[in-house]
Amino acid sequence: MAELPGIVVTGASGRMGQMLIETIRASEKARLVGVVERAGHDWIGQDIGAAMGGAELGVRVTDDPLEAFANAQAVIDFTAPEATLEFAALAAQARAVHVIGTTGMTDAQIADLGPAARHCPQIRAGNMSLGVNLLVQLTRQVAAALDADFDIEVIEVHHNKKVDAPSGTALMLGEAAAEGRGQNLADISDRGRDGITGARKRGDIGFTAIRGGDIVGEHDVLFAGEGERIVLRHMATDRAIFARGALKAAIWGQDQGPGQYDMVDVLGLSAR
Ligand SMILES: NC(=O)C1=CN([C@@H]2O[C@H](COP(=O)(O)OP(=O)(O)OC[C@H]3O[C@@H](n4cnc5c(N)ncnc54)[C@H](O)[C@@H]3O)[C@@H](O)[C@H]2O)C=CC1
Ligand SMILES: O=C(O)C1=N[C@H](C(=O)O)C[C@H](O)C1
């Protein structure tokens, strides 16, 4: 019987890193073979299970990603944009599937991921949950069915530690709405209103970001017309939904050639 795919988790001490480690540990379809944290972190050298406050898992936290990736079939990476760029090059070198959940990347940083994907499958999504990826499709359909008499606003709500805005999910939803209208989001995006902004521009897609407490992640797409409103909503109450999606992507990626993929590919959702 073929050995289960060996997976490395980067950003091991993070909110998502720990959730991913738990998810892989509990899975019968993959093995945890490495965990990476940034140099200088307290957990470097410790057993990851013990560092997380539980039983030892026999995997030590390292700050050497190249060494960790060398023996892995997949890398699951929910860290920060600069780190993800470094990991993309190293995953390519190791020919390991690179699953990228990191958000807040600039367009230039996203373009810089391209060369690495010539050597390994690279699966990236601002949200790895089934529910949000379905909501993206619904948003595209509703936007295509309505004209610009309906103002579109994407409202996202997250915990007070989140460092990027709009969220990666909000951008996915905004892009889907723009596609539904046959437009580029960059041309009609309205972000960061403050002061005398003037009336809302017809056809724009607005973004609102709310931060507070321990909220895992909530996204509304509001279609506001004269005398009626439609709201499409996703509410995440458990980070496990993102970890399960990422693990599914890492396993799915074992059968793919080099290239760039997203969760629509992984989940086999209907054509765009
Ligand atoms: N695509 C998705 O479904 C989801 C994406 N995210 C995104 O994942 C990212 C991480 O989110 P959280 O876990 O909440 O953040 P966090 O701040 O709790 O964790 C990030 C971890 O990455 C580590 N890190 C940073 N630079 C590193 C480096 N060079 N080498 C190794 N480790 C490094 C940090 O030390 C930290 O432990 C964010 O961009 C967030 O938006 C979060 C949830 C779901
Ligand atoms: O940082 C988070 O927590 C989340 N980030 C992702 C995003 O930016 O959309 C996904 C999820 O909403 C949680």
Side-chain angles (χ1 to χ4, degrees), residues 103 126-127 158-159 162 164 167-169 216-217 219 242:
T103 60
N127 194 306
H158 283 90
H159 54 92
K162 185 158 178 66
D164 56 309
S167 68
T169 311
V216 174
H219 292 85
F242 312 128

Side-chain angles (χ1 to χ4, degrees), residues 213-237:
D214 62 356
I215 298 164
V216 174
E218 299 176 5
H219 292 85
D220 277 8
V221 187
L222 166 68
F223 297 84
E226 290 292 319
E228 59 182 334
R229 277 176 283 167
I230 300 164
V231 185
L232 303 181
R233 168 171 295 173
H234 182 267
M235 299 177 80
T237 54

